[in-house]
Amino acid sequence: MVDVAALNGVPYPDSLLLYHVEVIRLLSMCTGGKNNFTELKCHNLMSLEDIVSLIQHKQCLTLVKSVYVDFLTNCFVETEMEVKEVYSSAAVIWNLFANFADDIEKAVDTECDEDDPNSVHHYVATSVVKLLSDFFRSVFLETGSRPKIHDLERFNICSRIMRGLLRLVEEKWVKQNKTGYQASIADCMERLRDCLKARGTGLPIELSGLLDRSLERVRNASKLENLKNNLRRVREGLSVHEPGTGTVSANGLQGNLSRDDQDILDGLTRPTSVFQDIVSEMDTYGQPLAVAEQSLLVDVMREPEEISGMQSQARAAFDNGEFIRKLVRHAKDVWVSQEALCLKILGTLTAMISGVKMSVDSEYTKENLALRKDLLRRYFTKRSKIRSVHARRDDAVEIIQTHLNEKGASDLVVDLIMKKGSDAVFKASIELGIALLDGGNSVVQKAIFSRLVGAEGSENSLLVFSEIISTAQTKLRSTLRVIMPDSGELDVSADVSIQRSPEPAKAEPTRRPSVRPSLFSPKSASRRPSLVGAEKSPPSPRSVRQPSDMELPIDVDEDDWEAKEEPLPREVAIMTVVLRFLQLLCENHNSEMQNYLRNQGSKSNVNLILQTLSFLDCICGSTSGSLGLLGHYVNATNVGLIDQTIVTLTEFCQGPCHENQNAIASNEAEGLDIIIALTLLDIKPLQDKAEDLVLGLKSNAVKLLLAIIESRQDSENAERLLHNMPVDTLVDKIIQHYHANETKSSEAIGAAEDNDRAPLTPREVGHAMFILAHQLAPYNPELEELLKPGSGQTGLRNEALSHYYAQTETIEIVRHDWTMERIVFPVPPVCAYLTPETKRRIFLETELDEQGSKVPDFCGHTDVLFKEMKWQKLLRETKFVYWISQRMTLWQSLSSDVAWLLNIIVALYYPFPDSAPALSLLFSNFLWLALLITAIFTVMRPGNRKFLLGFLVCSLTRSVYLVGPETTVRLLGWLNLGLNIISSVSYAGNMGTMKNSLRDMLRTPRFFYDLSLVLTCLAGLFVHEFFYGFLLFDIVYREETLYNVIKSVTKNGRSILLTAVLAVILVYMFSMAGYVLFADDFVLEVGHKKNNTLATCEATALGVPCEATGNDFYDEDEELACTSMLTCMVTTLVYGLRSGGGIGDVLRKPSFNDEYFFARVLYDLLFFFIVIIITLNLIFGVIIDTFADLRTEKQHKDDVLRNTCFICGLERSAFDNKATSFDYHYMREHNLWSYLYFMIMLQVKDPTEFTGPESYVAEQIKNEKLDWFPRLRAMSLSNTETLSDKVEMRAIQKELLATQTLVGKLSEQLAELQRQMSEHKNRRDRLKLMPGNHMFRTTASDDAVDFPLL
């Protein structure tokens, strides 16, 4: 190694020596951590004697010493098993310690180079100190055949080491080191002293005193450093102390610091909040890195064959996902014999999906992206594979789910569920199924459905879930308790005699006994809750009308109704994952699974829909029989399970699945009442403790009610809801939720705009109830009247209803079976940021397609409008820019007005006089008065353009006569420049181009237009005032009429250009003929400038007018204008086209006696007819026809806008003599912006929460189909046509109902009559068997009854 170093000529060669050093360092790292197997391997490679002799060599480099000492520490000292040669070879190890003492003295005596990591100073402070600390701390030093430290020679070595360490710990470079040199050296000295004491050998007194003082100084320095760090953290984490607050100022702590208080402050200045901040920062930094690492592990498990270094045989074994397939197959085999292993496999597969989901949901930072890329580079060999998995895709979760499904994970879930092993395996398999189905993966849904239907014993595939639900219900009935106010705890599981209704219990053998106070109408046997007056608490100041016709039969103090919140039993708690699994099976409206859960088509059919509804009825306290005490059965422990049950029932119905809707709505278990009660009753005391949980529960209950009536063409389910629901209470609850916690709701609404997952507010729940009431209103006139805002309502009610009406929109869609359906939905908050200018632009500029529909072009603007809404929302945060942007029209108008005023002043006063024009005193006072009045009106109405323009005119007029026209023009120029810049900023702010890059901005024509206006203003300021004239062309851009005039020329520009080329060609031909035949006739009168004209008018350039007039400047003369072909053609083109009669008007008048008289006449006539009349009129005709077409097109467009529906294309005449007017249809039924808001809602809403119609429309939009838009159809027209039929049908239905009631009564009477007749006949038969003189026979004959005939 020395030779290699000498050959390279550098202290630390970078060739073979560095390779050797890295090999030893790698071996040292392999032996770290007490790895017995690796330690034995390394012992065979190098012996202790060889290592020590190498370290002791005089020419051994410090770099080599460092790695070998580290290797010696890890492989021989800090070991799992005792290495006897270290402790038995006394001479060897103590010779090494003597060498260490020399190195320590060398480090103390020489100057430290902190930039050199391979210096002897760093070698001693790290490697040597660590080996000494580990050696004297080793447990084998106590038990092994250790050397005798008290020998004189070895004691001297220990003393040398201790003295060297004492000097070393005081070195400046040791104290200033931030990696802990001082602490590690102090620990080494303390270990050496303790080891000497344990063997009965103490240090000399002076050495022991030096050691104690040195250790004390190190401790104090450590405490001081910790205190400084704590103070820094306190300064960063705590606020300055204020009167009345408990916060502590960092400056106050630092100012009162003293040495005596160091130990106390060391504990007091580390509050929990600071510690939590530190932990939070560490978690914030470490969590993304852990997510990145976990996502990489998912990729490794998915394709382990891509791992670098894997041999071809191993790649073949794991190719195409065989690793996952074998893992799944192994779980199927060991689920009974090795349950723990099966659970581990199920947990691993679940963690794969959850890890990917977490990585997709997390926002990748620069650090974790770098970590992920580095790990990918280390694990995978193919660069293409690294690029494909480097950035997480949005569909990464679905890809992993599908991959696991292909390898048999879904079959594993179904098999383990059907086999119903232990509770742990069952729950783990359900959780894996939830992970596979999360997000509504349709591929996994189909796989599980096929497995359920086609598996062996498929007729019993759902019996497992049925048994679990039944077991949970049984457990609930046996454990359900309620705290009564007087008698204490009542066990409702006992048999009681009070039934739910006066009817006998024979209707259903498994009917639950109940104790339920009567909260229903006494005239109805249905379980209709009395939702009015169910709250004992007094009404709030914002409460509204509460009917008092029904009250609670029990007056209870809320404080006595504290429910005991105990953990859910195991049999009940498992229902959470089971219901979640069933929900995901039906996610995205899987109609096959929805129907299969209700009817399997087998003899052992189970209806999980009704069982789930019965479970909801049971867990909400139906066993007690009291809906009025609902809040005392719903608590923080079971509210999550109740919420999951409602969500699952909602998913069963949505799509819609009409059979499941009917099953829930018409269920005899009366679960519909529970859902209505959850919607309208106050759930206390949980509502007071955890309002967010109650609001979420109520919101989901409303969604379930909406799902029951979703996409129904009949009114059956809606009428059932209205029969069980007091409509006045529903409206009162809507008003109450609107006014509840207004301050808190406003803050939450603002948070909801920034975060899609913000907690629900009472106002949002009230809005959901309003949508429910809105859909029920057509079937109940009373409810429809209660929902109308207007003068008949109170102030609070009118405010709430008006707000909800403004935030609710209605559209009509066409389903796949061509039936029409009305959708009611809440307007997303982001839609409020759509500006009126954008609405007007879209309304006017949307073009018709070939079929006369505006819908395709309108849908093409949806994404652009959504981006603009988000930009406008972001713009609100910048107050100044938003203030400018919202007045874009005002700035543009003012800029145009200032440009006109500028040119008026230039036209009136240029060249500008040296002084201001004189003005009479009367007119001057009038100007001041007008200026004052317009200023007052401008301040009162700052956004009014008329007042601003008036103030501007008065100011400019006053300025012209005060400071002069030239100064006024310059001031107006600067003002116009500022207005153009502000106008450009406001346009960029409104359109969102401000956030675009410069390249994108250069692609927009508006950018160049604004830039040209700014450059023109600058040219007018710094070049010449005449440049302001170009600003007047802005009127063409602003006025549509002038724009059409220009467009009439440019629209058919090619035709006009070709016609002009034809005219030039004809002129060229006539020029040739004129040059050949009539060159002498081209005589023109011309005027020549005199020579002294320039001298006379030299001052003209300076703005002084010339004084010469008349013909003083010119000499009139005649000259030939066709001396060459060029002059002849120019003369013909210029004078021939400009003259009304053609070229003949400017040529010499020919005489009848001329030789070419008739040729000249023919020449003039041909030029007149061909060029002037035909060619020029062709150009004029094209322009005029184009302008006429544009005007007709504009009139047609205006007519379409006024008299044609934007959405369906129906004309105004279609609504003549109809119940619905065209204006109502246009504004309410087919409102343009309602359809836009609905499409925006589909983009911001979670797809897993879509209703059936929303999923249908989202699929249509995804496939770029517009069939869901109504075309020449409207529900109001269809309803009007069938209104009379419906009235007749309702009358017939009423008559049929009355007839059925009468027939039922007659049937009952007939049955009773038959029973009596049968009894009388039996009695007669018995009497006949008696003797004739028997007294009963005589009595019976006397008491015979004659039954009347019907």
Side-chain angles (χ1 to χ4, degrees):
M1 288 186 295
V2 176
D3 295 338
V4 172
L7 289 174
N8 290 324
V10 293
Y12 303 109
D14 54 359
S15 56
L16 296 178
L17 178 59
L18 284 182
Y19 173 77
H20 181 79
V21 168
E22 293 300 326
V23 170
I24 300 301
R25 181 176 286 114
L26 178 61
L27 291 176
S28 176
M29 295 172 64
C30 292
T31 56
K34 297 184 178 181
N35 190 336
N36 186 28
F37 180 78
T38 310
E39 292 166 0
L40 293 176
K41 288 284 186 180
C42 292
H43 290 169
N44 297 330
L45 295 176
M46 286 179 289
S47 63
L48 178 63
E49 290 78 6
D50 294 338
I51 296 173
V52 173
S53 61
L54 177 63
I55 297 174
Q56 288 180 327
H57 197 282
K58 294 182 180 180
Q59 296 183 353
C60 183
L61 301 176
T62 306
L63 174 62
V64 179
K65 281 188 176 183
S66 178
V67 295
Y68 270 97
V69 170
D70 291 339
F71 176 76
L72 182 62
T73 303
N74 293 330
C75 188
F76 290 90
V77 178
E78 191 181 2
T79 58
E80 185 177 0
M81 304 296 293
E82 180 183 2
V83 183
K84 294 185 178 180
E85 58 179 320
V86 175
Y87 305 102
S88 59
S89 303
V92 177
I93 197 67
W94 284 100
N95 289 338
L96 178 63
F97 288 170
N99 184 265
F100 285 171
D102 297 337
D103 290 336
I104 293 173
E105 292 174 357
K106 182 179 179 181
V108 173
D109 295 337
T110 58
E111 185 177 356
C112 175
D113 184 6
E114 297 183 3
D115 296 333
D116 184 10
N118 298 321
S119 64
V120 67
H121 306 82
H122 294 286
Y123 159 68
V124 169
T126 55
S127 301
V128 172
V129 170
K130 187 176 186 309
L131 189 146
L132 292 174
S133 299
D134 292 342
F135 180 83
F136 292 111
R137 184 174 52 206
S138 175
V139 294
F140 305 120
L141 192 62
E142 302 287 343
T143 59
S145 55
R146 59 186 182 274
K148 297 179 181 180
I149 297 180
H150 57 270
D151 291 351
L152 181 60
E153 181 181 357
R154 293 161 191 168
F155 179 77
N156 292 335
I157 294 175
C158 289
S159 300
R160 286 183 59 199
I161 292 175
M162 183 64 75
R163 294 181 186 277
L165 293 176
L166 285 172
R167 295 175 59 193
L168 185 66
V169 78
E170 299 296 334
E171 290 292 320
K172 182 179 180 181
W173 60 272
V174 173
K175 294 180 180 180
Q176 294 179 352
N177 183 266
K178 297 181 179 180
T179 59
Y181 283 176
Q182 193 177 36
S184 60
I185 295 172
D187 180 69
C188 180
M189 292 190 296
E190 194 169 1
R191 295 293 179 185
L192 179 56
R193 182 191 63 182
D194 295 340
C195 185
L196 292 174
K197 287 184 179 179
R199 285 153 180 76
T201 304
L203 292 173
I205 298 177
E206 70 282 358
L207 194 59
S208 178
L210 290 175
L211 178 61
D212 292 339
R213 288 191 294 272
S214 179
L215 292 177
E216 183 65 25
R217 283 194 297 270
V218 172
R219 294 192 191 98
N220 293 335
S222 177
K223 287 183 179 181
L224 184 60
E225 184 66 24
N226 291 336
L227 183 58
K228 290 180 179 178
N229 293 334
N230 293 335
L231 288 174
R232 177 178 54 81
R233 292 170 183 168
V234 169
R235 187 181 298 109
E236 296 174 354
L238 295 180
S239 59
V240 181
H241 175 74
E242 296 180 359
T245 63
T247 57
V248 182
S249 171
N251 295 331
L253 285 174
Q254 196 173 19
N256 298 328
L257 183 64
S258 62
R259 289 188 176 181
D260 297 335
D261 297 334
Q262 286 181 359
D263 293 336
I264 300 175
L265 287 178
D266 186 59
L268 293 178
T269 57
R270 301 187 62 176
T272 306
S273 60
V274 177
F275 178 75
Q276 291 176 348
D277 292 342
I278 296 172
V279 173
S280 176
E281 291 178 3
M282 293 176 62
D283 182 69
T284 303
Y285 177 78
Q287 181 66 20
L289 300 179
V291 169
E293 185 177 8
Q294 188 175 5
S295 66
L296 175 90
L297 295 178
V298 173
D299 294 322
V300 172
M301 290 189 64
R302 179 187 173 192
E303 295 180 335
E305 66 273 10
E306 299 293 340
I307 298 177
S308 59
M310 183 173 287
Q311 302 299 324
S312 59
Q313 184 177 0
R315 292 180 65 88
F318 293 119
D319 196 13
N320 296 325
E322 284 299 318
F323 175 73
I324 299 295
R325 192 187 303 276
K326 292 179 180 179
L327 204 63
V328 171
R329 189 182 303 118
H330 191 63
K332 292 182 181 179
D333 298 336
V334 303
W335 72 276
V336 176
S337 59
Q338 302 181 32
E339 181 179 325
L341 180 58
C342 180
L343 291 174
K344 189 67 175 178
I345 295 174
L346 293 174
T348 302
L349 296 177
T350 306
M352 285 183 64
I353 303 175
S354 61
V356 175
K357 188 175 187 301
M358 188 182 301
S359 65
V360 171
D361 295 340
S362 302
E363 295 184 359
Y364 276 101
T365 60
K366 182 178 179 180
E367 291 78 9
N368 56 5
L369 276 176
L371 174 62
R372 176 174 169 79
K373 188 175 181 180
D374 181 63
L375 292 174
L376 285 171
R377 192 180 297 108
R378 291 174 181 266
Y379 276 88
F380 293 109
T381 56
K382 296 182 179 179
R383 293 186 177 181
S384 60
K385 182 63 182 176
I386 296 176
R387 289 193 296 268
S388 64
V389 300
H390 172 49
R392 302 306 305 178
R393 298 169 52 184
D394 294 337
D395 58 347
V397 177
E398 185 177 356
I399 291 175
I400 295 297
Q401 290 173 338
T402 306
H403 177 76
L404 293 179
N405 173 67
E406 293 173 353
K407 307 312 172 187
S410 57
D411 294 341
L412 173 64
V413 171
V414 176
D415 291 342
L416 293 180
I417 290 176
M418 293 176 61
K419 293 176 182 177
K420 189 61 174 68
S422 64
D423 292 343
V425 174
F426 178 79
K427 184 178 180 181
S429 58
I430 289 288
E431 290 175 347
L432 176 57
I434 292 173
L436 289 170
L437 292 166
D438 192 20
N441 192 311
S442 59
V443 177
V444 180
Q445 285 179 340
K446 293 179 181 179
I448 293 179
F449 177 75
S450 301
R451 183 66 175 171
L452 287 174
V453 176
E456 296 182 1
S458 58
E459 63 276 3
N460 299 326
S461 57
L462 297 183
L463 286 178
V464 175
F465 296 113
S466 178
E467 293 173 359
I468 291 175
I469 297 175
S470 300
T471 303
Q473 287 182 273
T474 304
K475 189 66 175 179
L476 282 173
R477 295 190 190 105
S478 63
T479 58
L480 187 61
R481 298 174 183 272
V482 63
I483 306 298
M484 299 301 292
D486 298 326
S487 58
E489 186 179 90
L490 173 65
D491 189 350
V492 299
S493 62
D495 292 335
V496 290
S497 58
I498 303 178
Q499 299 298 324
R500 181 176 297 185
S501 64
E503 298 179 359
K506 62 181 180 181
E508 186 177 351
T510 59
R511 193 73 168 181
R512 298 185 298 268
S514 62
V515 180
R516 185 180 299 230
S518 176
L519 293 178
F520 320 112
S521 172
K523 297 181 181 180
S524 175
S526 66
R527 220 179 66 187
R528 178 175 177 178
S530 174
L531 303 172
V532 181
E535 302 93 3
K536 182 64 182 175
S537 57
S540 62
R542 294 187 178 272
S543 62
V544 294
R545 178 181 60 86
Q546 296 286 347
S548 57
D549 55 340
M550 304 178 71
E551 297 180 355
L552 269 175
I554 304 176
D555 190 9
V556 181
D557 188 3
E558 289 187 0
D559 295 337
D560 295 330
W561 285 83
E562 292 292 338
K564 295 183 178 180
E565 298 180 2
E566 299 177 354
L568 291 174
R570 176 179 52 84
E571 297 85 353
V572 180
I574 193 66
M575 284 295 297
T576 302
V577 293
V578 171
L579 292 173
R580 174 64 176 167
F581 180 71
L582 295 177
Q583 174 205 344
L584 292 175
L585 284 176
C586 303
E587 194 74 65
N588 294 333
H589 321 305
N590 187 356
S591 58
E592 291 183 342
M593 184 59 71
Q594 288 174 334
N595 292 317
Y596 185 74
L597 293 179
R598 186 190 68 261
N599 184 7
Q600 296 82 44
S602 61
K603 295 182 180 179
S604 58
N605 183 70
V606 293
N607 192 335
L608 293 183
I609 309 299
L610 294 184
Q611 282 192 294
T612 305
L613 182 63
S614 178
F615 175 77
L616 174 66
D617 194 30
C618 181
I619 197 174
C620 289
S622 65
T623 304
S624 68
S626 175
L627 281 175
L629 308 179
L630 179 66
H632 303 284
Y633 298 97
V634 181
N635 50 58
T637 304
N638 61 9
V639 66
L641 179 55
I642 296 174
D643 194 60
Q644 180 61 60
T645 308
I646 294 175
V647 172
T648 304
L649 287 171
T650 304
E651 203 61 49
F652 288 162
C653 297
Q654 285 182 340
C657 182
H658 294 301
E659 293 80 5
N660 289 352
Q661 290 176 339
N662 295 334
I664 294 177
S666 59
N667 180 36
E668 294 182 359
E670 299 170 340
L672 197 60
D673 291 331
I674 284 290
I675 303 171
I676 295 174
L678 289 172
T679 303
L680 301 182
L681 281 179
D682 284 344
I683 305 176
K684 294 184 178 181
L686 180 62
Q687 186 170 338
D688 300 330
K689 298 178 181 179
E691 186 182 13
D692 55 338
L693 297 179
V694 175
L695 291 176
L697 185 62
K698 288 182 176 293
S699 177
N700 289 327
V702 174
K703 291 179 182 178
L704 177 54
L705 294 177
L706 288 171
I708 293 174
I709 61 175
E710 177 184 299
S711 301
R712 302 284 299 192
Q713 299 297 329
D714 55 17
S715 60
E716 183 179 356
N717 287 353
E719 291 177 352
R720 285 173 180 168
L721 286 182
L722 291 169
H723 177 71
N724 295 335
M725 180 185 299
V727 294
D728 51 355
T729 304
L730 175 61
V731 177
D732 289 341
K733 287 296 178 181
I734 293 172
I735 311 302
Q736 180 180 341
H737 279 83
Y738 175 81
H739 293 289
N741 302 327
E742 286 190 337
T743 304
K744 182 178 179 180
S745 299
S746 301
E747 295 175 355
I749 290 173
E753 296 178 355
D754 299 331
N755 184 9
D756 295 337
R757 297 186 177 182
L760 279 173
T761 63
R763 189 166 292 183
E764 292 174 345
V765 177
H767 197 179
M769 292 183 181
F770 178 83
I771 293 176
L772 173 64
H774 193 282
Q775 296 204 20
L776 294 175
Y779 309 102
N780 190 296
E782 180 185 358
L783 179 59
E784 188 174 11
E785 188 66 26
L786 288 173
L787 287 178
K788 290 182 179 179
S791 58
Q793 305 283 3
T794 61
L796 298 179
R797 294 174 67 91
N798 189 54
E799 177 188 352
L801 294 176
S802 300
H803 170 79
Y804 286 139
Y805 257 109
Q807 298 300 320
T808 305
E809 294 293 344
T810 305
I811 65 170
E812 295 176 358
I813 66 170
V814 179
R815 296 299 292 261
H816 54 82
D817 56 354
W818 298 106
T819 59
M820 294 192 67
E821 180 180 346
R822 181 176 287 111
I823 300 178
V824 183
F825 65 96
V827 178
V830 71
C831 294
Y833 299 102
L834 188 64
T835 60
E837 291 82 3
T838 302
K839 284 187 176 182
R840 178 176 176 80
R841 176 172 55 84
I842 294 297
F843 180 74
L844 295 178
E845 297 180 3
T846 304
E847 299 294 338
L848 292 169
D849 63 355
E850 294 80 3
Q851 299 178 356
S853 175
K854 292 186 176 182
V855 170
D857 190 25
F858 170 68
C859 292
H861 292 87
T862 303
D863 294 335
V864 177
L865 293 176
F866 185 40
K867 292 179 181 178
E868 182 180 340
M869 293 176 190
K870 294 190 289 187
W871 165 252
Q872 288 292 332
K873 176 183 175 182
L874 183 64
L875 189 65
R876 297 297 197 277
E877 300 176 1
T878 309
K879 301 296 183 181
F880 179 71
V881 179
Y882 171 65
W883 183 84
I884 293 176
S885 300
Q886 69 178 350
R887 292 167 173 81
M888 179 180 67
T889 306
L890 176 63
W891 307 129
Q892 293 175 352
S893 301
L894 288 178
S895 175
S896 178
D897 296 338
V898 171
W900 280 96
L901 293 175
L902 263 172
N903 285 277
I904 289 174
I905 296 176
V906 171
L908 292 177
Y909 295 99
Y910 193 86
F912 300 123
D914 296 335
S915 60
L919 187 65
S920 63
L921 180 61
L922 179 62
F923 190 61
S924 176
N925 293 334
F926 175 77
L927 283 179
W928 283 115
L929 180 61
L931 181 63
L932 178 62
I933 294 175
T934 54
I936 293 175
F937 280 104
T938 303
V939 172
M940 294 175 60
R941 300 284 297 275
N944 193 302
R945 180 194 171 192
K946 295 180 180 179
F947 293 149
L948 285 173
L949 184 59
F951 175 73
L952 190 60
V953 171
C954 294
S955 301
L956 293 179
T957 307
R958 180 68 273 180
S959 176
V960 167
Y961 292 100
L962 188 65
V963 296
E966 185 175 4
T967 305
T968 303
V969 167
R970 184 164 295 276
L971 292 176
L972 272 180
W974 284 107
L975 177 62
N976 196 19
L977 176 63
L979 287 174
N980 279 291
I981 294 175
I982 293 176
S983 178
S984 303
V985 172
S986 65
Y987 179 83
N990 270 319
M991 297 295 106
T993 57
M994 190 179 295
K995 62 180 179 180
N996 296 342
S997 62
L998 181 60
R999 178 180 298 178
D1000 295 335
M1001 294 179 67
L1002 291 176
R1003 296 175 181 174
T1004 57
R1006 178 61 187 243
F1007 174 79
F1008 289 100
Y1009 178 75
D1010 292 336
L1011 182 62
S1012 64
L1013 291 179
V1014 172
L1015 293 178
T1016 303
C1017 292
L1018 292 174
L1021 282 171
F1022 300 104
V1023 181
H1024 199 279
E1025 290 82 358
F1026 287 168
F1027 279 98
Y1028 290 131
F1030 292 101
L1031 296 176
L1032 299 180
F1033 287 110
D1034 183 52
I1035 192 175
V1036 179
Y1037 182 81
R1038 302 185 186 281
E1039 292 295 332
E1040 185 178 3
T1041 303
L1042 291 178
Y1043 181 75
N1044 287 334
V1045 171
I1046 303 299
K1047 193 175 180 181
S1048 64
V1049 178
T1050 59
K1051 185 176 182 179
N1052 292 323
R1054 188 172 183 273
S1055 300
I1056 297 174
L1057 181 61
L1058 292 177
T1059 308
V1061 170
L1062 176 62
V1064 172
I1065 294 173
L1066 293 174
V1067 168
Y1068 177 67
M1069 302 301 294
F1070 278 98
S1071 300
M1072 288 191 296
Y1075 181 76
V1076 173
L1077 300 175
F1078 313 109
D1080 296 337
D1081 292 347
F1082 283 80
V1083 179
L1084 299 178
E1085 292 183 359
V1086 297
H1088 299 284
K1089 289 185 178 181
K1090 294 182 179 180
N1091 295 330
N1092 60 349
T1093 302
L1094 295 177
T1096 306
C1097 296
E1098 287 180 352
T1100 306
L1102 301 177
V1104 180
C1106 295
E1107 298 179 357
T1109 58
N1111 295 328
D1112 296 339
F1113 288 172
Y1114 302 97
D1115 288 334
E1116 294 183 357
D1117 196 2
E1118 293 182 351
E1119 66 178 18
L1120 291 175
C1122 192
T1123 57
S1124 65
M1125 187 62 196
L1126 178 62
T1127 58
C1128 190
M1129 187 174 66
V1130 170
T1131 304
T1132 305
L1133 183 65
V1134 173
Y1135 293 98
L1137 295 180
R1138 290 169 51 195
S1139 301
I1143 192 63
D1145 291 350
V1146 297
L1147 297 183
R1148 179 183 65 83
K1149 303 300 183 288
S1151 173
F1152 284 98
N1153 299 324
D1154 290 345
E1155 182 180 1
Y1156 299 104
F1157 174 78
F1158 291 102
R1160 169 67 188 280
V1161 171
L1162 181 63
Y1163 178 80
D1164 293 346
L1165 290 177
L1166 287 176
F1167 189 92
F1168 176 74
F1169 281 108
I1170 294 176
V1171 178
I1172 301 300
I1173 294 180
I1174 297 177
T1175 307
L1176 291 184
N1177 283 318
L1178 282 176
I1179 297 176
F1180 298 150
V1182 171
I1183 296 174
I1184 293 173
D1185 290 343
T1186 304
F1187 183 77
D1189 292 340
L1190 291 174
R1191 182 176 58 185
T1192 304
E1193 182 181 346
K1194 182 178 183 300
Q1195 291 175 352
H1196 176 68
K1197 183 184 293 186
D1198 294 340
D1199 182 69
V1200 169
L1201 291 176
R1202 288 194 302 266
N1203 301 315
T1204 306
C1205 178
F1206 194 100
I1207 298 299
C1208 67
L1210 285 172
E1211 296 184 354
R1212 185 182 293 270
S1213 59
F1215 293 87
D1216 292 342
N1217 301 323
K1218 302 294 183 181
T1220 302
S1221 65
F1222 175 79
D1223 293 333
Y1224 179 83
H1225 166 79
Y1226 187 81
M1227 295 302 298
R1228 295 297 301 174
E1229 294 179 343
H1230 287 179
N1231 188 291
L1232 162 68
W1233 309 115
S1234 298
Y1235 282 85
L1236 173 64
Y1237 297 158
F1238 182 74
M1239 290 186 283
I1240 297 300
M1241 186 198 69
L1242 296 181
Q1243 297 190 40
V1244 300
K1245 190 176 182 180
D1246 187 357
T1248 60
E1249 296 181 1
F1250 284 167
T1251 62
E1254 291 170 355
S1255 297
Y1256 166 72
V1257 175
E1259 186 68 21
Q1260 292 284 311
I1261 294 176
K1262 181 180 178 181
N1263 296 331
E1264 297 182 354
K1265 295 182 179 180
L1266 302 176
D1267 298 338
W1268 61 279
F1269 278 95
R1271 179 64 181 158
L1272 299 177
R1273 299 178 63 185
M1275 293 183 67
S1276 57
L1277 296 182
S1278 302
N1279 295 337
T1280 303
E1281 294 172 358
T1282 59
L1283 183 60
S1284 59
D1285 297 337
K1286 286 188 175 181
V1287 173
E1288 293 178 2
M1289 288 295 296
R1290 286 185 177 274
I1292 295 174
Q1293 288 178 356
K1294 289 182 179 179
E1295 293 179 1
L1296 287 176
L1297 183 61
T1299 304
Q1300 290 177 356
T1301 305
L1302 180 59
V1303 171
K1305 291 181 180 180
L1306 293 177
S1307 299
E1308 292 178 359
Q1309 293 178 5
L1310 180 60
E1312 180 65 22
L1313 181 60
Q1314 290 178 350
R1315 186 185 62 79
Q1316 292 180 7
M1317 291 182 66
S1318 177
E1319 291 181 356
H1320 182 69
K1321 183 179 178 180
N1322 293 335
R1323 185 178 179 185
R1324 275 186 167 183
D1325 292 342
R1326 288 195 302 269
L1327 290 177
K1328 288 180 181 180
L1329 299 176
M1330 296 181 182
N1333 56 356
H1334 196 277
M1335 65 176 191
F1336 288 111
R1337 185 170 183 177
T1338 306
T1339 306
S1341 60
D1342 296 337
D1343 297 339
V1345 179
D1346 294 333
F1347 295 97
L1349 296 177
L1350 295 176

